[in-house]
Amino acid sequence: MTPAAREWGVTLLRLWIGFLILHAGLRAAGQAFAPVQGLPSLLDTWKGSAEALIGHLVILVQVAGGAGILAGLAVRLCSLFTAAGFAWLIWKAGGLHPGALMADPLRATLLVGSVSFLLTGPGFLNLGRVFQKKR
């Protein structure tokens, strides 16, 4: 396999995983922010528990991170935050042991995908190359 073929493989996987993360974040945002009737209501929700604040931050990380991964902007940074967010969600649902990972295969897949982009980078077709300085 040529290095170009590997890069295209990473690119296709990045586009699909980025879309899935963005979609999951938008669905979660629709459910979590629907009952909120403005900023005072949101602040009242956060006063009750730190867990509500962290949950809303994880949703925002999913939306912003998924968009960044999909577009290819700061992929490693977005992957770091989305991996941390999905690890927190899986941990809250039952821990990070293999049984809990198998109980929620979508979140586990998005966690593993985020970690892989953290290690490999964005591949081809990324907007990050547009902003890089020419050498």
Side-chain angles (χ1 to χ4, degrees), residues 29-76:
Q31 294 173 352
F33 293 111
V36 174
Q37 302 295 325
L39 187 59
S41 173
L42 185 62
L43 294 175
D44 287 341
T45 304
W46 292 345
K47 279 183 190 174
S49 69
E51 193 166 320
L53 174 64
I54 293 171
H56 285 126
L57 288 176
V58 167
I59 291 169
L60 293 176
V61 163
Q62 286 178 0
V63 172
I69 291 170
L70 182 62
L73 287 170
V75 170
R76 286 193 164 115

Side-chain angles (χ1 to χ4, degrees), residues 51-116:
E51 193 166 320
L53 174 64
I54 293 171
H56 285 126
L57 288 176
V58 167
I59 291 169
L60 293 176
V61 163
Q62 286 178 0
V63 172
I69 291 170
L70 182 62
L73 287 170
V75 170
R76 286 193 164 115
L77 183 65
C78 291
S79 296
L80 174 69
F81 286 119
T82 57
F86 283 114
W88 184 82
L89 289 172
I90 293 170
W91 178 69
K92 289 302 289 180
L96 290 174
H97 55 85
L101 293 174
M102 295 309 291
D104 195 352
L106 177 64
R107 286 183 180 160
T109 301
L110 296 178
L111 170 64
V112 170
S114 295
V115 171
S116 70

